[in-house]
Amino acid sequence: MTDAPIRRMAGRGRFITFEGGEGSGKTTQIKKLAERLEAAKLRAIITREPGGSPGAEVIRHLLLSGMGKLLGPEAETLLFAAARDDHVRTVIQPALVQGTWVLCDRFSDSTRVYQGRVGHVAAGLLNAMERVTIGDLKPDLTVILDVPVEIGLKRAAARRGSAAPDRFESEDVKFHQGLREAYREIAASEPQRCVLVDASADANAVAASIWTALRDRFFATPAAGIASTA
Ligand code: T5A
């Protein structure tokens, strides 16, 4: 595919988050996008949640092992928030300030969906946690990968091989269906920030849709903050 001229952008880097249910292909697509940005001579880092910084990776281990679940939904939510706080302060914000693009595998929408919508943690607690951990930091673009639950779970199982399913993969199909619906609702309610991408297609077709969304938002017009031709 030929791209419209990609131009270097001045100032703060762009913050792009990837969301979706289990096995929706976030990791695969983030790598493809990073390669594409690198080819366009834009500096980008890949990171993830929970985790992404040394402190947050320790908490990730606790959460995915199921330890957080034993503490109850509110305490588990606080652990996600503690990990996010460290990740935002030590990795995401410094990179954005330096003009680096940040591609993040899951962010606050995951908490809204997994702990809030499906896990029934009260909105008041989620709002308070967001104020503390992310403040005004909103993704410039959130790519929501939408795939039927059975396809996503099959992909996740194939990738996992003989390893045991983690804390969330082991939830029932109704839980995963709820995740999908909640993500679709977020995409519909925040079209400025979110793009819903059909992730059941092959990986290169999905990557092409994501690139089109990026191009339209960030590279199409001088008003989008373009400084000079790369
Ligand atoms: N969580 C996270 C919360 O509950 N609250 C929070 O606030 C946060 C931040 C993290 C878990 O934590 C929860 C959500 C999660 O359950 P994780 O290990 O990081 O867990 O796992 P996930 O984010 O769910 O990611 P997965 O690794 O399961 O899946 P991905 O990254 O979406 O998918 P990917 O790219 O690894 O692909 C899976 C397999 O499918 C193939 C790949 O090759 C791979 O084998 N694949 C495709 N096959 C066919 N067609 C395509 N288009 C394909 N794309 C990928």
Side-chain angles (χ1 to χ4, degrees):
M1 181 169 76
T2 50
D3 296 322
I6 302 302
R7 302 153 200 239
R8 194 155 301 148
M9 304 170 71
R12 178 184 172 278
R14 294 294 193 257
F15 182 31
I16 303 177
T17 58
F18 283 70
E19 296 278 0
E22 308 295 310
S24 52
K26 300 177 304 302
T27 310
T28 304
Q29 293 303 325
I30 281 187
K31 283 189 197 144
K32 286 182 178 292
L33 179 58
E35 284 164 13
R36 199 126 195 200
L37 291 173
E38 194 184 330
K41 304 220 177 331
L42 287 164
R43 211 169 50 236
I45 59 165
I46 294 177
T47 189
R48 68 173 179 185
E49 291 207 348
S53 62
E57 286 291 328
V58 173
I59 301 174
R60 174 188 174 89
H61 179 71
L62 281 177
L63 284 163
L64 296 191
S65 72
M67 281 281 290
K69 185 179 184 182
L70 296 177
L71 302 175
E74 282 76 21
E76 189 178 46
T77 302
L78 295 177
L79 286 174
F80 277 109
R84 181 161 301 134
D85 185 61
D86 191 61
H87 185 216
V88 166
R89 277 187 300 105
T90 65
V91 175
I92 298 177
Q93 274 173 338
L96 292 173
V97 166
Q98 285 167 14
T100 301
W101 289 47
V102 176
L103 312 182
C104 191
D105 193 337
R106 298 194 179 280
F107 193 59
S108 54
D109 291 308
S110 285
T111 310
R112 290 267 161 199
V113 168
Y114 281 74
Q115 281 65 55
R117 171 68 191 278
V118 180
H120 306 296
V121 170
L125 178 62
L126 300 184
N127 293 341
M129 290 299 95
E130 278 192 11
R131 272 198 305 279
V132 171
T133 57
I134 65 178
D136 293 336
L137 179 70
K138 275 249 172 205
D140 296 297
L141 173 67
T142 296
V143 176
I144 298 180
L145 295 179
D146 181 54
V147 73
V149 167
E150 54 283 10
I151 296 180
L153 290 179
K154 218 180 259 175
R155 285 183 190 168
R159 189 219 44 216
R160 193 169 66 236
S162 58
D166 70 24
R167 150 80 177 92
F168 295 99
E169 285 167 353
S170 40
E171 294 284 353
D172 63 18
V173 170
K174 191 166 157 245
F175 175 93
H176 293 286
Q177 194 58 46
L179 299 176
R180 186 181 186 204
E181 281 160 21
Y183 274 123
R184 291 172 70 95
E185 282 171 21
I186 289 175
S189 66
E190 292 187 63
Q192 298 293 91
R193 172 175 70 88
C194 301
V195 58
L196 186 76
V197 173
D198 175 6
S200 56
D202 84 74
N204 287 332
V206 177
S209 302
I210 293 171
W211 186 247
T212 300
L214 242 90
R215 223 182 29 191
D216 291 350
R217 274 176 165 76
F218 300 133
F219 305 127
T221 66
I226 292 164
S228 62
T229 305

